[in-house]
């Protein structure tokens, strides 16, 4: 057996074992605290809502365990099981140019991966979400969303892949630097275009009507020195009962988006506080920092791939007979998460740090008490557990756990 095969199998088993262990801790911790509302929320959240969140969290975790197990088996079949080689060999038998054969091979594997995930998405949406009163989706709408997503991925992704494959074949040993520049430029372009071209394919965005809420938001934007291309209400209730708000776009194409479910759940002062938090991410330059970090990691990844692509053991150890650029890209995309599992807490730590900073900004520019009451409503209405396992949350939570986050806001209010 190839030495790298042994290394890969060891890393795969270790990675998924850690994920299953973390999930087991999360389910056990949430179940253990199911019958008592945490002290910080005792006068704010009903026991029935707390128990609903616990049950919802546990059911999602169980489904995630099955999904993870299937994903691990499918990854083994694609790699050491020879699946990638079978797909590439199959399309090479047709009268196609090498470029087209590579593109169709990658597209075929992407479609297979998507089809395997669809049953889990269906169960999540029409069983779990429905059971807990969140699902507003329909099967026709679900199918339409899937088809649009696949179409966008293939329609946009394949031309970019073709360009990268051309660069890999034509530029020389520094191809990875040019490929990184292409991906970075494409990511920036898509971030700029997303609000006006991509997002409307899935949802309807209606400009916020004039009134006291819009005036309050405009006043907040002026105080914070923030410019946007509009404030929009998204018809999130068409698919789900979950609420949220976010910024999207770059440069002069930034938009503020509220889910209609959120607007219906929070009062105007709470909505202002939630928006102030999102503004904090921009004013504290979190978006730029995350973009730089992502760009550096992408550059490192391409540099590593630039070396791996010259190593026969990389292909042979992962069960791929076809030593092609397309196969190398695909392998790297599929396998690299196995070797980066223990980087998750580092990324999550900085994301939670940014959330604390955004909360501090919101407390300075809006009412901290309204930030807390708005968050409590969101935790309750979205059935977010108030008692996550600390180690699980250190790996997976991009936001601080509820009790820690609210305690930090209260400390910020006291020190102001």
């Amino acid at each position: 057996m190839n030495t790298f095969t042994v290394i890969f199998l060891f890393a795969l088993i270790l990675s998924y074992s850690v994920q299953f262990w973390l999930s087991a801790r999360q389910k056990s911790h949430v179940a253990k605290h199911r019958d008592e509302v945490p002290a910080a929320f005792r006068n704010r959240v009903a026991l029935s809502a707390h128990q609903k969140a616990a049950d919802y969290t546990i059911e999602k975790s169980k489904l995630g365990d099955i999904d993870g197990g299937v994903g691990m088996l499918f990854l083994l079949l694609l790699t050491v099981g020879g699946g990638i080689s079978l797909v590439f060999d199959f399309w090479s038998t047709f009268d196609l140019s090498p470029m087209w054969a590579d593109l169709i091979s990658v597209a075929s594997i992407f479609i297979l991966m998507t089809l395997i995930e669809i049953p889990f998405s269906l169960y999540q949406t029409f069983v779990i979400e429905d059971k807990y009163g969140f699902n507003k989706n329909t099967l026709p709408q679900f199918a339409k969303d899937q088809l649009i997503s696949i179409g966008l991925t293939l329609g946009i992704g394949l031309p970019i892949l073709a360009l990268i494959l051309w660069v890999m074949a034509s530029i020389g040993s520094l191809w990875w630097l040019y490929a990184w520049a292409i991906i970075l430029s494409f990511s920036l372009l898509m971030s700029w275009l997303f609000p006006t071209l991509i997002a409307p394919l899935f949802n309807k965005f209606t400009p916020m009507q004039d009134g006291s809420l819009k005036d309050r938001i405009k006043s907040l934007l002026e105080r914070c020195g923030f410019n946007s291309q509009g404030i929009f209400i998204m018809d999130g209730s068409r698919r789900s009962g979950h609420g949220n708000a976010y910024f999207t776009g770059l440069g002069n194409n930034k938009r503020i988006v509220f889910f209609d479910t959120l607007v219906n759940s929070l009062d105007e002062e709470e909505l202002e506080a939630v928006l102030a938090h999102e503004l904090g991410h921009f004013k504290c330059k979190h978006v730029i920092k995350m973009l730089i970090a992502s760009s550096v990691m992408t550059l490192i990844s391409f540099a590593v791939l630039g070396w791996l692509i010259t190593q026969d053991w990389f292909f042979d150890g992962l069960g791929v007979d076809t030593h092609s650029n397309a196969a190398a890209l695909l392998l790297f995309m599929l396998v690299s998460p196995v070797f980066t599992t223990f980087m998750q807490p580092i990324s999550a730590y900085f994301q939670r740090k940014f959330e604390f900073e955004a909360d501090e900004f919101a407390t300075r520019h809006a009412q901290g008490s309204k930030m807390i009451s708005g968050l409590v409503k969101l935790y309750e209405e979205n059935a977010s557990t108030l008692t996550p396992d600390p180690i699980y949350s250190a790996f997976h939570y991009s936001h601080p756990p509820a009790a820690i986050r609210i305690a930090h806001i209260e400390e910020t209010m006291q020190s102001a």
Side-chain angles (χ1 to χ4, degrees), residues 129-154:
E129 296 291 308
D130 203 60
K131 178 179 178 180
Y132 290 92
F134 293 123
N135 179 47
K136 311 296 181 184
N137 211 342
T138 63
L139 282 172
Q141 182 64 58
F142 180 90
K144 179 183 176 182
D145 289 342
Q146 293 293 323
L147 290 173
I148 292 175
S149 296
I150 293 172
L152 284 172
T153 302
L154 295 178

Side-chain angles (χ1 to χ4, degrees), residues 186-308:
F186 172 72
S187 297
L188 292 173
L189 177 63
M190 290 306 298
S191 296
W192 187 75
L193 291 176
F194 180 82
T196 52
L197 290 184
I198 306 299
L201 296 175
F202 296 93
N203 290 98
K204 181 179 179 181
F205 295 83
T206 305
M208 181 177 285
Q209 295 181 352
D210 292 337
S212 58
L213 176 59
K214 187 173 182 179
D215 292 340
R216 180 181 290 274
I217 290 175
K218 283 186 173 180
S219 176
L220 174 66
L221 297 178
E222 290 174 1
R223 294 200 306 272
C224 297
F226 185 88
N227 296 316
S228 79
Q229 288 301 102
I231 308 164
F232 294 83
I233 307 297
M234 190 188 87
D235 61 340
S237 60
R238 185 151 59 97
R239 294 181 180 84
S240 173
H242 293 293
N244 203 352
Y246 65 91
F247 283 108
T248 184
L250 290 175
N252 61 358
N253 207 26
K254 295 192 294 288
R255 283 186 174 188
I256 299 167
V257 178
F258 290 97
F259 283 38
D260 54 358
T261 46
L262 186 74
V263 174
N264 294 330
S265 299
L266 307 187
D267 65 34
E268 292 187 1
E269 291 173 323
E270 290 167 343
L271 288 168
E272 179 186 32
V274 170
L275 178 58
H277 169 89
E278 299 298 333
L279 280 172
H281 285 304
F282 275 87
K283 301 303 288 186
C284 296
K285 302 189 185 306
H286 296 157
V287 176
I288 294 175
K289 290 175 182 178
M290 292 297 288
L291 179 62
I292 293 173
S294 176
S295 299
V296 170
M297 290 304 300
T298 303
L299 178 61
I300 293 172
S301 297
F302 270 118
V304 171
L305 179 57
W307 171 67
L308 288 174

Side-chain angles (χ1 to χ4, degrees), residues 353-369:
K353 181 176 182 293
F354 290 164
E355 293 300 325
F356 281 135
E357 292 176 359
D359 282 343
E360 292 169 5
F361 181 90
T363 304
R364 293 195 301 270
H365 292 85
Q367 297 183 51
S369 59

Side-chain angles (χ1 to χ4, degrees), residues 28-71:
S28 174
H29 194 273
V30 171
K32 181 180 178 181
H33 294 86
R34 179 183 182 276
D35 295 325
E36 184 177 4
V37 179
F41 298 92
R42 202 154 290 158
N43 298 322
R44 295 167 172 163
V45 177
L47 177 60
S48 58
H50 174 65
Q51 291 176 327
K52 173 185 175 181
D55 296 340
Y56 179 60
T57 300
I58 291 170
E59 287 204 41
K60 287 196 301 178
S61 295
K62 289 179 178 178
L63 180 64
D65 291 342
I66 299 172
D67 190 8
V70 171

